[in-house]
Amino acid sequence: MINKLRSIFKSKELRDKIGFVLLMLLVCRIGAYVTVPGINGELILKSFRAAVGGGQNLFQFVDVFTGGAFAKMTLVALGVMPYISASIVIQIGMGIFPAFQKEIRENGDAGKRKLGKWTRILTLFIAVFQSTLYAKQALGFNLATPGVVFSEFLEVTAFGVPWLFYLVTVVSMTTGSLFLMWIGEQITERGIGNGMSMIISLGILSAFPSTLGSILSGLNINSQEAGQLTLTSLIVLSLIFVGIVLGTIMVLQGIRKIPIQYARRNVESSGVNGKTPFIPLKINFAGIMPVIFASSFLMFPATIALLMKNYPVITNIASYISPGSTGYVIMFVVLIVFFTFVWTSMQFRPDQIASDMKKSGAFIPGVRQGKPTEDFIKHSMTRITCIGAFFLAFIAILPTIVGKLLSVDPTISQFFGGTSILILVGVILDTSKQIESHLIMQKYDGFMSSKKVTGKF
């Protein structure tokens, strides 16, 4: 580990990339403390806490992913969720309309740019919609607690609507969300790791100190009376935490090896250093994206329900899928499995693999080249994706189940596993892979850039 760290700091390119990522993440955290103009940050926080109550709910779920910015109504209160929601809609659209998916794939880089453009445009509309509802809710808080919105922004009205406040709020929050989207794209292109996942991870990490405080208060160390959290429960949760981390690494790193052979080579020479060549099929090809997509999908109705709580139907739906409820567990499992298959079908290309194998003279023993090979790979990938999807869903809901069995506060049980740990471990694994790839590439570059040996003629 120490040698790897030394290698990272010796590489100027890696130092610059990591420094750029840290700088961008620092900017994100600064935005989480800048309140929208015209809003009293302390009063809006108290109003939101009073509105959602003390139990765990979807609002707290949203607030964790934004690092507390949602409750304080800051410039980045919406986080990258509008972008994630837009990506979900686009991915589902590609699955529903195969012609659209084919067009994107065939156009290569131009198709990716077109897809990115549509995602950004949809992100803009979603951010405007959510920020408008947010402004409406802030006005409702102001009626219950005068001073939440500064009076200067309420005096400028038209047809009884404080249009100045709406304008400032919508522009500020939409700009903040689009700015986070831009930062995420810059981190992906110029830094290390996936930018959007890193921004979400930053929000999760920023909520950990307050969760640790809840754990200490639950243990009730300063008193002789038993606290809400017992030492036995803490040990059990700690063991589950270790198990979830190991399980996450296994499901994200695990592969199935499909052996292949080459028609023009001998068995002895078909491998490298005597090893048989194979096709590595990842157990979970989609990584942590299904968890992020499923969480975002559940957050969207949460935001709508919180900001439109005067409508009983929407409120009832939100309470049915609130974290810890049976409806939430069922929906979360279904969405994780669904998005795992959707993401895998979008990204995994068995036809391309079969075509490349045929061109290189490779084949799977017992399977003919061409269409049979494609069907075999597709069938194999479907089976292992099913296993990986349900295992990922089980890891995500395990803390909720254990928390209920041990009668532990949901906030504390989620700290030891579930969505947050899945995302954090996935981001760490992805980032470490990219760092290792850079180090390997630089070693090859150093080898290739060595002085050429000239022959004598």
Side-chain angles (χ1 to χ4, degrees):
M1 178 64 71
I2 296 177
N3 291 331
K4 286 187 177 181
L5 290 175
R6 288 177 180 174
S7 301
I8 292 172
F9 286 105
K10 285 180 180 179
S11 170
K12 183 180 184 302
E13 182 182 358
L14 273 178
R15 285 203 312 269
D16 292 342
K17 287 180 177 291
I18 294 175
F20 177 78
V21 171
L22 295 177
L23 179 61
M24 291 293 100
L25 294 179
L26 176 61
V27 173
C28 293
R29 286 311 300 163
I30 292 174
Y33 291 95
V34 181
T35 310
V36 170
I39 294 294
N40 187 317
E42 294 182 0
L43 289 181
I44 193 73
L45 180 59
K46 292 179 180 179
S47 299
F48 265 112
R49 286 176 177 173
V52 301
Q56 190 186 31
N57 45 52
L58 283 171
F59 160 72
Q60 291 178 335
F61 198 43
V62 176
D63 199 42
V64 166
F65 273 65
T66 59
F70 190 78
K72 300 173 185 175
M73 198 171 177
T74 65
L75 297 178
V76 296
L78 300 179
V80 294
M81 294 310 152
Y83 178 83
I84 300 295
S85 301
S87 300
I88 293 173
V89 174
I90 296 295
Q91 292 293 334
I92 293 176
M94 290 178 66
I96 296 175
F97 303 103
F100 174 44
Q101 180 181 350
K102 185 178 179 181
E103 179 186 355
I104 297 298
R105 284 181 173 178
E106 290 180 349
N107 291 331
D109 292 337
K112 290 181 180 179
R113 288 194 296 269
K114 189 175 183 180
L115 184 64
K117 179 181 177 181
W118 289 346
T119 305
R120 294 185 192 99
I121 293 174
L122 186 56
T123 300
L124 174 63
F125 284 106
I126 293 176
V128 169
F129 175 69
Q130 290 185 341
S131 57
T132 301
L133 292 179
Y134 210 138
K136 182 177 181 297
Q137 184 60 37
L139 292 175
F141 286 153
N142 188 68
L143 292 176
T145 309
V148 169
V149 181
F150 296 154
S151 59
E152 293 82 359
F153 287 81
L154 299 176
E155 293 173 354
V156 184
T157 61
F159 304 102
V161 178
W163 63 268
L164 179 61
F165 172 71
Y166 273 104
L167 178 64
V168 171
T169 303
V170 171
V171 171
S172 300
M173 297 182 69
T174 301
T175 302
S177 183
L178 295 179
F179 182 63
L180 285 185
M181 179 189 70
W182 178 81
I183 287 179
E185 292 178 347
Q186 293 300 309
I187 291 176
T188 303
E189 293 176 7
R190 301 172 55 186
I192 294 288
N194 183 284
M196 300 301 170
S197 300
M198 280 197 168
I199 292 175
I200 295 175
S201 300
L202 179 66
I204 294 172
L205 286 172
S206 64
F208 274 6
S210 60
T211 309
L212 285 173
S214 301
I215 294 174
L216 293 177
S217 62
L219 289 172
N220 201 12
I221 299 176
N222 297 327
S223 176
Q224 295 182 351
E225 298 179 0
Q228 182 184 7
L229 182 65
T230 63
L231 183 60
T232 303
S233 300
L234 184 62
I235 294 174
V236 172
L237 289 173
S238 300
L239 293 175
I240 292 174
F241 169 79
V242 175
I244 286 177
V245 172
L246 294 176
T248 303
I249 294 173
M250 288 174 61
V251 75
L252 293 180
Q253 301 285 81
I255 60 173
R256 180 195 171 184
K257 300 179 181 180
I258 298 181
I260 61 175
Q261 293 180 1
Y262 291 87
R264 303 182 185 90
R265 302 179 186 178
N266 298 325
V267 176
E268 292 81 9
S269 61
S270 60
V272 179
N273 296 329
K275 296 181 180 179
T276 304
F278 59 87
I279 303 173
L281 297 183
K282 297 188 68 174
I283 295 177
N284 194 333
F285 187 84
I288 59 169
M289 294 309 298
V291 179
I292 295 177
F293 278 5
S295 303
S296 303
F297 194 90
L298 290 174
M299 287 179 191
F300 189 77
T303 308
I304 303 301
L306 178 68
L307 306 180
M308 299 180 67
K309 60 182 181 180
N310 295 327
Y311 299 90
V313 176
I314 297 178
T315 304
N316 291 335
I317 293 174
S319 62
Y320 178 74
I321 58 174
S322 61
S325 65
T326 304
Y328 168 82
V329 172
I330 295 174
M331 282 291 294
F332 202 36
V333 170
V334 170
L335 288 173
I336 288 176
V337 174
F338 171 73
F339 284 121
T340 300
F341 278 96
V342 169
W343 185 266
T344 302
S345 65
M346 295 296 105
Q347 305 295 326
F348 186 71
R349 298 286 305 276
D351 55 338
Q352 186 66 44
I353 296 174
S355 176
D356 293 341
M357 288 177 61
K358 189 173 183 180
K359 291 177 182 177
S360 62
F363 65 94
I364 300 172
V367 182
R368 288 180 297 174
Q369 292 180 326
K371 183 64 175 174
T373 297
E374 178 186 343
D375 293 338
F376 179 83
I377 295 174
K378 185 185 297 184
H379 180 64
S380 301
M381 192 65 182
T382 301
R383 287 189 299 174
I384 64 174
T385 298
C386 184
I387 296 173
F390 279 102
F391 188 55
L392 193 67
F394 174 73
I395 293 175
I397 65 171
L398 183 60
T400 302
I401 299 174
V402 174
K404 281 190 172 183
L405 294 176
L406 298 178
S407 300
V408 178
D409 186 90
T411 306
I412 297 176
S413 63
Q414 286 295 327
F415 172 80
F416 287 92
T419 307
S420 302
I421 296 300
L422 275 172
I423 294 175
L424 289 176
V425 173
V427 170
I428 291 172
L429 289 175
D430 181 57
T431 305
S432 61
K433 274 186 178 180
Q434 292 196 26
I435 291 176
E436 188 173 354
S437 298
H438 275 279
L439 292 175
I440 293 174
M441 287 176 61
Q442 287 179 358
K443 288 182 180 179
Y444 278 119
D445 289 341
F447 173 75
M448 296 298 292
S449 62
S450 59
K451 295 181 180 181
K452 295 181 180 180
V453 179
T454 59
K456 296 181 181 180
F457 296 96

